[in-house]
Amino acid sequence: MWFLSLLRHTRLPSQAATLLQTLVVLFVSPRLSKPSTIMLKTLACGALTFAGLYVGFKKVLKLTFTRWSDADVLIVSERLIDAVHASLATTAGIITVTSCKDVMRDSHWVLTSFMVFGYPYSAIDLYASYMSHYHTHRLRGDTMYNRHSLNTLKGFVSSYWLTVLHHLAVLGIFLPVGVFFRRGLGDFFVGCLFITELSVAFVAISKIIVQVGLANTRLHKINSILLLVSFMICRILIFPYMYWKYGQDFDIPLHKVPSHLPWHCNVGNLAILVPQVYWFYLQLKKAQRVFRHKKLN
């Protein structure tokens, strides 16, 4: 292709040139135009985007905050890609929910596209979480963390088993079910689940605020309030909203909706909702500590 030839003769850093050539092959080549290859393009784009952001954030933070340890840089980089993904997922969810008038049959292309695009994020975030855990323990002088080993991996899994389980479930269940087994039905409800990611952005911002030494500021207090409000609306109240919306479309009273749904739909929603209530309780305790500490000061 003429554009690839031009790139080869352009004076660019080797890494940047390689990345540009990869993107051109993925998104311009006429050989990759079938639906299956379009999905591969989207998947590759997501992998390049989130991996590139993670590497880029690490480099920028290391150059900007020269006194930060490797653990500080990795933790903030991880939280930044969390915030980016949460913002994109929420946007995709809002677009889908507001576009679908029929909650069962209407669909929007942005939903399936983002499901594929955002899929690599779970694997990258799992890796980033492990690296943050590893370097944090290494900074504390834990001798087991002098090098990577099966024991350090076990330590990470035992400390963050719920996070690991969540990411593996997304990787092994969410994409196959969401893309291949829904038969194009229920984009509205999947969009609602994407909206639950909004609170993740505020969780990430909260941890970044603490990491940069602003824990005792008004900014942290405001973010804590936004976190609780977004968590309550987008992760708890959104479930009765979905049942209400389904009832509105099919002229069913809210209290009778569960009996009109397949049992596995109710069980699945309950399995998602119960952890949200527990996490909301934990967020309340954290917010209480933030306000109590500020009051003491």
Side-chain angles (χ1 to χ4, degrees):
M1 295 171 63
W2 68 269
F3 194 76
L4 287 176
S5 300
L6 179 63
L7 279 177
R8 292 191 188 101
H9 293 89
T10 303
R11 293 184 178 180
L12 290 171
S14 58
Q15 291 179 340
T18 303
L19 179 59
L20 280 173
Q21 288 178 22
T22 303
L23 290 172
V24 169
V25 170
L26 283 171
F27 300 106
V28 180
S29 176
R31 297 177 183 177
L32 300 176
S33 57
K34 296 179 181 179
S36 59
T37 53
I38 291 173
M39 184 178 291
L40 288 176
K41 291 180 186 181
T42 308
L43 192 67
C45 182
L48 287 169
T49 298
F50 291 111
L53 284 173
Y54 181 61
V55 173
F57 285 144
K58 284 196 300 181
K59 290 188 175 183
V60 170
L61 289 171
K62 203 158 191 174
L63 290 172
T64 306
F65 301 95
T66 54
R67 295 184 180 181
W68 277 14
S69 65
D70 288 340
D72 294 328
V73 170
L74 289 168
I75 289 170
V76 175
S77 299
E78 177 196 348
R79 299 308 171 191
L80 285 171
I81 62 167
D82 288 345
V84 170
H85 176 266
S87 302
L88 293 174
T90 303
T91 303
I94 291 172
I95 291 171
T96 303
V97 168
T98 55
S99 300
C100 294
K101 305 305 178 185
D102 185 324
V103 298
M104 289 303 299
R105 293 178 180 83
D106 284 356
S107 61
H108 200 288
W109 65 267
V110 76
L111 184 79
T112 303
S113 298
F114 185 78
M115 266 196 257
V116 178
F117 175 82
Y119 182 74
Y121 159 79
S122 292
I124 293 165
D125 189 54
L126 201 55
Y127 168 77
S129 298
Y130 167 73
M131 291 300 293
S132 299
H133 169 83
Y134 176 84
H135 282 277
T136 298
H137 281 268
R138 188 174 184 178
L139 185 64
R140 293 172 182 170
D142 192 332
T143 55
M144 186 178 77
Y145 288 84
N146 288 335
R147 63 184 181 86
H148 297 284
S149 66
L150 186 59
N151 287 330
T152 61
L153 186 60
K154 286 180 178 177
F156 168 68
V157 173
S158 64
S159 298
Y160 298 96
W161 65 270
L162 197 57
T163 300
V164 173
L165 182 64
H166 169 74
H167 282 71
L168 291 179
V170 170
L171 290 168
I173 299 173
F174 184 67
L175 181 69
V177 172
V179 175
F180 301 110
F181 298 111
R182 288 191 304 117
R183 302 191 300 268
L185 298 175
D187 276 25
F188 172 85
F189 299 108
V190 180
C192 287
L193 293 179
F194 275 179
I195 292 175
T196 64
E197 290 292 306
L198 177 61
S199 61
V200 175
F202 294 109
V203 171
I205 292 169
S206 177
K207 293 184 178 180
I208 292 172
I209 288 171
V210 172
Q211 200 70 26
V212 298
L214 299 174
N216 300 323
T217 63
R218 182 174 295 178
L219 178 63
H220 195 200
K221 186 176 179 180
I222 293 171
N223 187 75
S224 297
I225 295 171
L226 293 173
L227 169 57
L228 292 176
V229 171
S230 64
F231 204 107
M232 172 59 76
I233 294 173
C234 298
R235 283 187 172 256
I236 296 177
L237 296 181
I238 200 164
F239 285 91
Y241 169 73
M242 286 191 287
Y243 277 76
W244 173 81
K245 185 66 175 173
Y246 181 90
Q248 289 288 303
D249 274 23
F250 293 94
D251 198 23
I252 304 169
L254 177 60
H255 67 281
K256 291 185 178 180
V257 170
S259 62
H260 283 74
L261 294 174
W263 67 270
H264 58 270
C265 291
N266 293 315
V267 171
N269 282 330
L270 189 62
I272 297 172
L273 177 60
V274 169
Q276 311 308 319
V277 175
Y278 172 68
W279 285 330
F280 183 67
Y281 167 72
L282 295 180
Q283 295 301 331
L284 279 173
K285 290 180 69 176
K286 288 181 181 179
Q288 186 180 25
R289 289 197 296 269
V290 170
F291 287 102
R292 183 181 296 170
H293 185 74
K294 200 165 183 69
K295 186 176 180 180
L296 289 173
N297 287 340

